[in-house]
Amino acid sequence: MKGLYIFLGVLVLMIFVGGCGYNGMNSSRVEVDRKFADLQSSYQRRADLIPNLVEVVKGVANFEKTTLTEVIQARANATSIKIDPKDMTAEKLKEFQQSQGQLSQALGRLMVVSEQYPQLKANENFKALQDQIEGTENRIKVSRDSYNEVVSTYNVKVTSFPNNLLAGVLGFKEKPMFQAEAGAEKAPKVKF
């Protein structure tokens, strides 16, 4: 009888520890998904602002059409890539990040070229949109940092003992983190 009680006690303890481990990993996975959704919302905000910015620029200046075309194309590419956080891989995240990086570069070129058009810089609508895009870029950075923070916590839970024993069986996998874009370690050169 004593052996049966010990066996049952160990079984109950294993179920309790396993349940707590599962609940912890699951709540972390949900938090990762939520933070990624927040990040996508910030990117969507930027994508929604771009058509307004392009229209203001078109209306104010006989602007460089190639720059506007690049911005429009980069926006189309960035919004066409969709990622399901439940099925996220490092490759998918890299593709998403590259398309968003191309959009950031196109917007940067638009802002630099706009310096050549004083009537555009003086336009209140352009200034307001420029401020909104700048604020959105800051939100994106904060969202990326927040996402990487919760992914780090999740990955530690999934790869730490004893959760790692359950993680593989229950389908919990490490999530990829956002990385700096290639060349980000070099400061951009500004010429006037």
Side-chain angles (χ1 to χ4, degrees):
M1 248 354 228
K2 185 177 180 183
L4 180 63
Y5 288 136
I6 291 173
F7 174 74
L8 288 175
V10 169
L11 184 62
V12 167
L13 182 63
M14 287 175 57
I15 290 171
F16 179 74
V17 169
C20 289
Y22 173 82
N23 289 341
M25 289 185 295
N26 191 53
S27 75
S28 288
R29 179 174 53 190
V30 168
E31 183 67 7
V32 167
D33 293 349
R34 186 180 71 79
K35 291 294 184 177
F36 191 74
D38 290 347
L39 177 60
Q40 285 180 312
S41 175
S42 294
Y43 280 127
Q44 185 62 51
R45 183 182 193 302
R46 176 174 68 176
D48 292 345
L49 287 171
I50 289 171
N52 295 331
L53 181 67
V54 168
E55 288 304 313
V56 167
V57 170
K58 279 182 186 177
V60 172
N62 183 8
F63 208 68
E64 294 184 19
K65 294 193 186 325
T66 56
T67 303
L68 288 176
T69 303
E70 287 175 8
V71 170
I72 292 166
Q73 183 60 45
R75 178 190 180 270
N77 291 343
T79 56
S80 70
I81 296 177
K82 303 291 183 206
I83 294 182
D84 181 4
K86 292 172 182 31
D87 185 34
M88 188 181 314
T89 63
E91 294 79 26
K92 289 179 183 177
L93 186 62
K94 186 175 181 179
E95 181 183 359
F96 178 78
Q97 187 174 348
Q98 284 176 336
S99 69
Q100 294 297 334
Q102 290 170 351
L103 180 55
S104 293
Q105 290 173 0
L107 278 173
R109 285 191 298 276
L110 176 69
M111 295 306 171
V112 168
V113 173
S114 71
E115 295 293 320
Q116 299 171 2
Y117 293 86
Q119 70 274 27
L120 181 59
K121 285 176 32 178
N123 183 289
E124 290 300 318
N125 290 335
F126 180 78
K127 284 181 186 178
L129 285 166
Q130 189 176 15
D131 289 344
Q132 287 185 34
I133 287 176
E134 182 180 313
T136 300
E137 293 296 328
N138 290 334
R139 288 179 188 179
I140 289 169
K141 194 245 184 268
V142 169
S143 292
R144 282 175 140 190
D145 290 347
S146 183
Y147 170 80
N148 279 348
E149 186 177 314
V150 297
V151 166
S152 178
T153 300
Y154 169 80
N155 287 344
V156 167
K157 283 184 182 180
V158 169
T159 59
S160 297
F161 183 80
N163 286 343
N164 63 340
L165 301 175
L166 288 172
V169 174
L170 298 174
F172 290 92
K173 300 175 189 165
E174 282 188 74
K175 301 276 188 178
M177 297 174 72
F178 274 94
Q179 304 292 320
E181 293 180 31
E185 69 279 359
K186 297 176 187 169
K189 295 181 181 177
V190 179
K191 294 180 184 176
F192 292 102

